[in-house]
């Protein structure tokens, strides 16, 4: 396990369609985060899981967005009835529970969503 | 959402030059992180800072956690072409607890002088 994996890397969808993204964190990391990044901006926090529990959600996460981490391993982020404003890079990050040499977040390569 | 003030927004470098960028905030942070992001990729962690006043190096990179806990800087010495990219600072206000999400600056874009 060399890093955080995200799938797909790119997604083009028509407005109104539903999309789902997957994130596989580093296996020993029990904390998982979703961020969204638009062009020219830094990533913005969406939601956070510790194991399978979703402990925090940003106000950016409208009711069209839902995230799950059913077994405390991989996570999915679903966007229903996509809008053009949802076009962005969706980043997943994970980190371990305890502070140590690799305590910082490890990000995946992201899923680039384009809504047409 | 809340973001950090990162400057400069962009800069041009010539190989061999030293580079400096910084991040400020009106809020106190417990952790400062510096990331580099290449086009189409996720951010890659460069340096993590956990204590006010801490000065940490990673090869040609040096970063400091400001004494007030409201700022941080990143220096790159003797820049090389592969240093080109976007550098982000990120602050974290809680760790060890139930939160820990990062707040990012808007980035500093490093380009090569034509």
């Amino acid at each position: 396990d060399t890093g955080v994996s995200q799938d797909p890397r790119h997604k083009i969808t028509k407005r109104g369609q539903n999309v789902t993204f997957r994130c596989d964190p580093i296996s020993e990391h029990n904390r998982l985060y979703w961020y969204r990044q638009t062009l020219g901006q830094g990533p913005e926090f969406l939601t956070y899981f510790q194991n399978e529990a979703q402990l925090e959600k940003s106000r950016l996460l409208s009711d069209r967005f839902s995230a799950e981490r059913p077994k405390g391993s991989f996570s999915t982020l679903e966007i229903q009835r996509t809008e053009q404003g949802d076009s962005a890079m969706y980043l997943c990050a994970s980190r371990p529970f305890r502070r140590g040499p690799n305590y910082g977040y490890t990000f995946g390569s992201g899923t680039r969503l384009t809504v047409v | 959402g809340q973001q950090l003030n990162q400057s400069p927004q962009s800069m041009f470098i010539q190989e061999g030059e030293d580079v400096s960028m910084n991040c400020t905030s009106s809020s106190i942070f417990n952790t400062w992180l510096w990331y580099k992001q290449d086009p189409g990729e996720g951010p890659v962690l460069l340096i993590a800072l956990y204590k006010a006043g801490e000065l940490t190096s990673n090869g040609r990179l040096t970063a400091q956690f400001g004494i007030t806990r409201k700022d941080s800087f990143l220096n790159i010495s003797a820049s090389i072409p592969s240093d080109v990219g976007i550098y982000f600072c990120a602050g974290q206000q809680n760790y060890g607890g139930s939160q820990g999400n990062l707040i990012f600056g808007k980035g500093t874009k490093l380009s090569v002088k034509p």
Side-chain angles (χ1 to χ4, degrees):
Chain A
D1 190 323
T2 58
V4 177
S5 299
Q6 290 189 248
D7 184 68
R9 289 294 308 274
H10 304 276
K11 178 72 178 178
I12 299 174
T13 190
K14 290 184 179 178
R15 189 162 51 98
Q17 297 292 305
N18 299 342
V19 293
T20 300
F21 312 140
R22 177 180 168 121
C23 171
D24 286 90
I26 293 173
S27 57
E28 60 266 29
H29 289 184
N30 68 337
R31 296 182 171 186
L32 186 147
Y33 301 79
W34 285 98
Y35 285 78
R36 183 177 73 182
Q37 185 177 23
T38 53
L39 206 60
Q41 302 293 318
E44 292 180 292
F45 169 75
L46 291 178
T47 190
Y48 155 61
F49 289 86
Q50 183 165 307
N51 300 312
E52 65 275 8
Q54 188 174 18
L55 297 184
E56 191 174 355
K57 291 194 279 189
S58 158
R59 57 183 170 78
L60 291 176
L61 209 70
S62 77
D63 55 9
R64 295 185 297 105
F65 287 68
S66 63
E68 293 183 342
R69 194 183 183 197
K71 296 181 181 177
S73 55
F74 73 91
S75 175
T76 57
L77 177 67
E78 181 184 16
I79 309 174
Q80 295 183 325
R81 305 181 302 282
T82 51
E83 301 172 356
Q84 287 188 320
D86 297 331
S87 296
M89 173 82 92
Y90 289 85
L91 292 161
C92 177
S94 70
R95 68 178 178 130
F97 179 73
R98 297 203 179 280
R99 214 164 113 173
N102 298 312
Y103 188 61
Y105 294 61
T106 301
F107 281 86
S109 295
T111 294
R112 167 75 64 190
L113 173 67
T114 303
V115 182
V116 298
Chain B
Q2 181 184 357
Q3 286 199 325
L4 303 175
N5 300 311
Q6 189 171 347
S7 65
Q9 282 189 324
S10 62
M11 57 194 309
F12 288 89
I13 58 171
Q14 272 187 336
E15 190 171 350
E17 283 182 342
D18 294 344
V19 171
S20 188
M21 60 192 77
N22 68 80
C23 221
T24 61
S25 170
S26 57
S27 304
I28 287 174
F29 288 97
N30 295 326
T31 300
W32 284 92
L33 304 168
W34 285 93
Y35 285 88
K36 179 174 184 266
Q37 188 174 29
D38 292 326
E41 297 295 327
V44 174
L45 181 65
L46 299 174
I47 292 181
L49 302 158
Y50 300 113
K51 290 196 306 190
E54 181 180 355
L55 184 72
T56 297
S57 293
N58 178 8
R60 294 177 297 105
L61 277 59
T62 302
Q64 184 157 31
F65 191 147
I67 290 290
T68 64
R69 295 200 283 159
K70 293 183 179 181
D71 63 319
S72 177
F73 71 75
L74 175 71
N75 287 341
I76 306 173
S77 63
S79 55
I80 58 178
S82 61
D83 290 335
V84 163
I86 302 179
Y87 292 79
F88 288 99
C89 62
Q92 182 182 347
Q93 291 177 312
N94 292 284
Y95 57 84
S98 63
Q99 297 180 337
N101 47 293
L102 298 179
I103 297 167
F104 281 83
K106 291 192 176 185
T108 295
K109 184 176 180 181
L110 228 56
S111 305
V112 176
K113 274 183 187 169

